[in-house]
Short mmCIF file of all heavy atoms in Angstrom, two decimals:
data_model
loop_
_atom_site.label_atom_id
_atom_site.label_comp_id
_atom_site.label_asym_id
_atom_site.label_seq_id
_atom_site.Cartn_x
_atom_site.Cartn_y
_atom_site.Cartn_z
N PHE A 430 0.83 -1.20 0.00
CA PHE A 430 0.00 0.00 0.00
C PHE A 430 0.87 1.25 0.00
O PHE A 430 0.59 2.21 -0.72
CB PHE A 430 -0.91 -0.01 1.23
CG PHE A 430 -1.86 1.15 1.29
CD1 PHE A 430 -3.03 1.14 0.56
CD2 PHE A 430 -1.58 2.26 2.08
CE1 PHE A 430 -3.93 2.22 0.62
CE2 PHE A 430 -2.45 3.33 2.16
CZ PHE A 430 -3.62 3.31 1.42
N ALA A 431 1.92 1.23 0.80
CA ALA A 431 2.82 2.39 0.88
C ALA A 431 3.49 2.67 -0.47
O ALA A 431 3.62 3.83 -0.88
CB ALA A 431 3.88 2.15 1.95
N LEU A 432 3.91 1.63 -1.16
CA LEU A 432 4.57 1.79 -2.45
C LEU A 432 3.63 2.34 -3.52
O LEU A 432 4.03 3.13 -4.38
CB LEU A 432 5.16 0.46 -2.92
CG LEU A 432 6.37 -0.06 -2.12
CD1 LEU A 432 6.72 -1.48 -2.56
CD2 LEU A 432 7.57 0.87 -2.30
N LEU A 433 2.36 1.94 -3.45
CA LEU A 433 1.42 2.33 -4.48
C LEU A 433 0.67 3.62 -4.15
O LEU A 433 0.16 4.28 -5.05
CB LEU A 433 0.42 1.19 -4.72
CG LEU A 433 1.00 -0.12 -5.24
CD1 LEU A 433 -0.08 -1.18 -5.36
CD2 LEU A 433 1.68 0.10 -6.59
N PHE A 434 0.57 3.96 -2.87
CA PHE A 434 -0.21 5.13 -2.48
C PHE A 434 0.69 6.31 -2.09
O PHE A 434 0.44 7.44 -2.50
CB PHE A 434 -1.16 4.77 -1.34
CG PHE A 434 -2.24 5.79 -1.15
CD1 PHE A 434 -3.28 5.89 -2.08
CD2 PHE A 434 -2.25 6.63 -0.05
CE1 PHE A 434 -4.29 6.84 -1.91
CE2 PHE A 434 -3.26 7.56 0.13
CZ PHE A 434 -4.27 7.66 -0.79
N GLN A 435 1.67 6.06 -1.27
CA GLN A 435 2.71 7.05 -0.95
C GLN A 435 2.18 8.40 -0.46
O GLN A 435 2.43 9.43 -1.07
CB GLN A 435 3.60 7.29 -2.18
CG GLN A 435 4.35 6.06 -2.63
CD GLN A 435 5.20 6.31 -3.85
OE1 GLN A 435 5.07 7.34 -4.51
NE2 GLN A 435 6.07 5.38 -4.19
N ASN A 436 1.48 8.39 0.65
CA ASN A 436 1.04 9.66 1.21
C ASN A 436 1.52 9.85 2.64
O ASN A 436 1.21 10.85 3.27
CB ASN A 436 -0.49 9.76 1.17
CG ASN A 436 -0.97 11.18 1.35
OD1 ASN A 436 -0.60 12.07 0.59
ND2 ASN A 436 -1.77 11.42 2.38
N GLN A 437 2.26 8.88 3.15
CA GLN A 437 2.90 8.97 4.46
C GLN A 437 4.37 8.60 4.29
O GLN A 437 4.76 8.04 3.27
CB GLN A 437 2.26 7.97 5.44
CG GLN A 437 0.92 8.35 5.97
CD GLN A 437 0.48 7.42 7.10
OE1 GLN A 437 0.01 7.86 8.13
NE2 GLN A 437 0.65 6.12 6.91
N SER A 438 5.15 8.90 5.31
CA SER A 438 6.53 8.43 5.29
C SER A 438 6.55 6.92 5.52
O SER A 438 5.63 6.36 6.13
CB SER A 438 7.34 9.13 6.38
OG SER A 438 6.93 8.68 7.67
N MET A 439 7.58 6.27 5.04
CA MET A 439 7.69 4.83 5.23
C MET A 439 7.80 4.49 6.72
O MET A 439 7.31 3.44 7.15
CB MET A 439 8.92 4.30 4.49
CG MET A 439 9.06 2.77 4.54
SD MET A 439 7.61 1.88 3.91
CE MET A 439 7.76 2.18 2.15
N ILE A 440 8.38 5.39 7.50
CA ILE A 440 8.47 5.17 8.95
C ILE A 440 7.08 5.07 9.57
O ILE A 440 6.80 4.18 10.37
CB ILE A 440 9.27 6.30 9.64
CG1 ILE A 440 10.73 6.30 9.16
CG2 ILE A 440 9.19 6.15 11.16
CD1 ILE A 440 11.48 5.05 9.54
N ASP A 441 6.19 5.99 9.17
CA ASP A 441 4.81 5.95 9.69
C ASP A 441 4.13 4.65 9.32
O ASP A 441 3.44 4.03 10.14
CB ASP A 441 4.01 7.14 9.17
CG ASP A 441 4.32 8.43 9.90
OD1 ASP A 441 4.73 8.35 11.08
OD2 ASP A 441 4.19 9.51 9.30
N TYR A 442 4.30 4.23 8.07
CA TYR A 442 3.68 2.98 7.63
C TYR A 442 4.21 1.79 8.42
O TYR A 442 3.45 0.89 8.81
CB TYR A 442 3.93 2.75 6.14
CG TYR A 442 2.99 3.50 5.22
CD1 TYR A 442 3.47 4.42 4.29
CD2 TYR A 442 1.61 3.26 5.27
CE1 TYR A 442 2.60 5.09 3.44
CE2 TYR A 442 0.74 3.94 4.42
CZ TYR A 442 1.24 4.85 3.51
OH TYR A 442 0.38 5.51 2.67
N LEU A 443 5.51 1.77 8.66
CA LEU A 443 6.11 0.65 9.39
C LEU A 443 5.66 0.64 10.86
O LEU A 443 5.42 -0.43 11.43
CB LEU A 443 7.64 0.73 9.31
CG LEU A 443 8.23 0.44 7.92
CD1 LEU A 443 9.75 0.63 7.94
CD2 LEU A 443 7.90 -0.98 7.46
N VAL A 444 5.54 1.82 11.46
CA VAL A 444 5.04 1.90 12.84
C VAL A 444 3.61 1.37 12.90
O VAL A 444 3.25 0.61 13.80
CB VAL A 444 5.11 3.34 13.36
CG1 VAL A 444 4.36 3.46 14.70
CG2 VAL A 444 6.55 3.78 13.54
N GLU A 445 2.79 1.76 11.93
CA GLU A 445 1.41 1.29 11.89
C GLU A 445 1.34 -0.22 11.71
O GLU A 445 0.52 -0.91 12.34
CB GLU A 445 0.66 2.01 10.77
CG GLU A 445 0.40 3.47 11.09
CD GLU A 445 0.25 4.36 9.87
OE1 GLU A 445 0.28 3.81 8.73
OE2 GLU A 445 0.10 5.58 10.03
N ALA A 446 2.23 -0.75 10.86
CA ALA A 446 2.28 -2.21 10.66
C ALA A 446 2.66 -2.91 11.95
O ALA A 446 2.08 -3.94 12.31
CB ALA A 446 3.27 -2.55 9.55
N LEU A 447 3.64 -2.36 12.66
CA LEU A 447 4.09 -2.96 13.92
C LEU A 447 2.98 -2.92 14.96
O LEU A 447 2.77 -3.90 15.69
CB LEU A 447 5.33 -2.22 14.43
CG LEU A 447 5.95 -2.77 15.73
CD1 LEU A 447 6.40 -4.20 15.54
CD2 LEU A 447 7.13 -1.90 16.16
N LEU A 448 2.25 -1.81 15.03
CA LEU A 448 1.17 -1.69 16.00
C LEU A 448 0.06 -2.70 15.72
O LEU A 448 -0.48 -3.33 16.64
CB LEU A 448 0.60 -0.28 15.98
CG LEU A 448 1.49 0.81 16.58
CD1 LEU A 448 0.89 2.19 16.33
CD2 LEU A 448 1.68 0.59 18.08
N ILE A 449 -0.28 -2.86 14.45
CA ILE A 449 -1.32 -3.84 14.09
C ILE A 449 -0.86 -5.24 14.47
O ILE A 449 -1.63 -6.02 15.06
CB ILE A 449 -1.64 -3.76 12.59
CG1 ILE A 449 -2.34 -2.43 12.27
CG2 ILE A 449 -2.52 -4.94 12.16
CD1 ILE A 449 -2.57 -2.20 10.78
N PHE A 450 0.40 -5.57 14.13
CA PHE A 450 0.90 -6.91 14.44
C PHE A 450 0.92 -7.16 15.95
O PHE A 450 0.44 -8.21 16.42
CB PHE A 450 2.31 -7.09 13.88
CG PHE A 450 3.00 -8.31 14.42
CD1 PHE A 450 2.57 -9.58 14.06
CD2 PHE A 450 4.04 -8.18 15.33
CE1 PHE A 450 3.19 -10.71 14.59
CE2 PHE A 450 4.66 -9.30 15.85
CZ PHE A 450 4.24 -10.57 15.48
N VAL A 451 1.45 -6.22 16.71
CA VAL A 451 1.50 -6.38 18.17
C VAL A 451 0.08 -6.56 18.72
O VAL A 451 -0.15 -7.35 19.64
CB VAL A 451 2.19 -5.16 18.82
CG1 VAL A 451 2.01 -5.19 20.33
CG2 VAL A 451 3.67 -5.16 18.46
N GLY A 452 -0.86 -5.84 18.14
CA GLY A 452 -2.23 -5.94 18.58
C GLY A 452 -2.86 -7.30 18.31
O GLY A 452 -3.86 -7.66 18.94
N THR A 453 -2.29 -8.07 17.38
CA THR A 453 -2.87 -9.38 17.04
C THR A 453 -2.35 -10.51 17.93
O THR A 453 -2.91 -11.61 17.88
CB THR A 453 -2.57 -9.76 15.58
OG1 THR A 453 -1.15 -9.94 15.40
CG2 THR A 453 -3.07 -8.70 14.61
N ILE A 454 -1.33 -10.26 18.72
CA ILE A 454 -0.72 -11.34 19.51
C ILE A 454 -1.75 -12.01 20.42
O ILE A 454 -1.85 -13.24 20.48
CB ILE A 454 0.48 -10.82 20.32
CG1 ILE A 454 1.60 -10.38 19.38
CG2 ILE A 454 0.99 -11.91 21.28
CD1 ILE A 454 2.79 -9.74 20.07
N GLY A 455 -2.52 -11.21 21.13
CA GLY A 455 -3.54 -11.77 22.02
C GLY A 455 -4.59 -12.55 21.25
O GLY A 455 -5.08 -13.59 21.73
N ILE A 456 -4.94 -12.09 20.05
CA ILE A 456 -5.94 -12.78 19.24
C ILE A 456 -5.42 -14.15 18.81
O ILE A 456 -6.16 -15.15 18.85
CB ILE A 456 -6.31 -11.94 18.00
CG1 ILE A 456 -6.81 -10.56 18.43
CG2 ILE A 456 -7.37 -12.66 17.16
CD1 ILE A 456 -7.10 -9.63 17.27
N TYR A 457 -4.16 -14.21 18.40
CA TYR A 457 -3.57 -15.49 18.00
C TYR A 457 -3.60 -16.49 19.17
O TYR A 457 -3.93 -17.66 18.98
CB TYR A 457 -2.13 -15.30 17.53
CG TYR A 457 -1.99 -14.98 16.07
CD1 TYR A 457 -1.65 -13.71 15.63
CD2 TYR A 457 -2.19 -15.96 15.10
CE1 TYR A 457 -1.52 -13.41 14.28
CE2 TYR A 457 -2.06 -15.68 13.74
CZ TYR A 457 -1.72 -14.41 13.34
OH TYR A 457 -1.61 -14.12 12.01
N ILE A 458 -3.24 -16.02 20.36
CA ILE A 458 -3.23 -16.91 21.53
C ILE A 458 -4.63 -17.46 21.81
O ILE A 458 -4.83 -18.66 22.01
CB ILE A 458 -2.68 -16.18 22.77
CG1 ILE A 458 -1.21 -15.79 22.55
CG2 ILE A 458 -2.80 -17.07 24.01
CD1 ILE A 458 -0.64 -14.92 23.65
N ILE A 459 -5.61 -16.56 21.82
CA ILE A 459 -6.98 -16.98 22.13
C ILE A 459 -7.51 -17.96 21.08
O ILE A 459 -8.06 -19.02 21.42
CB ILE A 459 -7.91 -15.75 22.22
CG1 ILE A 459 -7.53 -14.87 23.41
CG2 ILE A 459 -9.38 -16.19 22.34
CD1 ILE A 459 -8.26 -13.54 23.45
#
């Protein structure tokens, strides 16, 4: 999405990706 849309810095996109992933840890366990 970042490569094709490019309206944020790559750092922002990566932080958002990390936050989403971290948020899924509890869901995976359950």
Side-chain angles (χ1 to χ4, degrees):
F430 183 81
L432 290 171
L433 297 177
F434 196 72
Q435 297 179 348
N436 197 58
Q437 285 190 134
S438 70
M439 185 56 72
I440 295 297
D441 282 333
Y442 278 121
L443 290 176
V444 170
E445 289 155 3
L447 182 61
L448 288 172
I449 292 174
F450 167 70
V451 170
T453 65
I454 294 175
I456 303 176
Y457 272 107
I458 296 173
I459 294 171

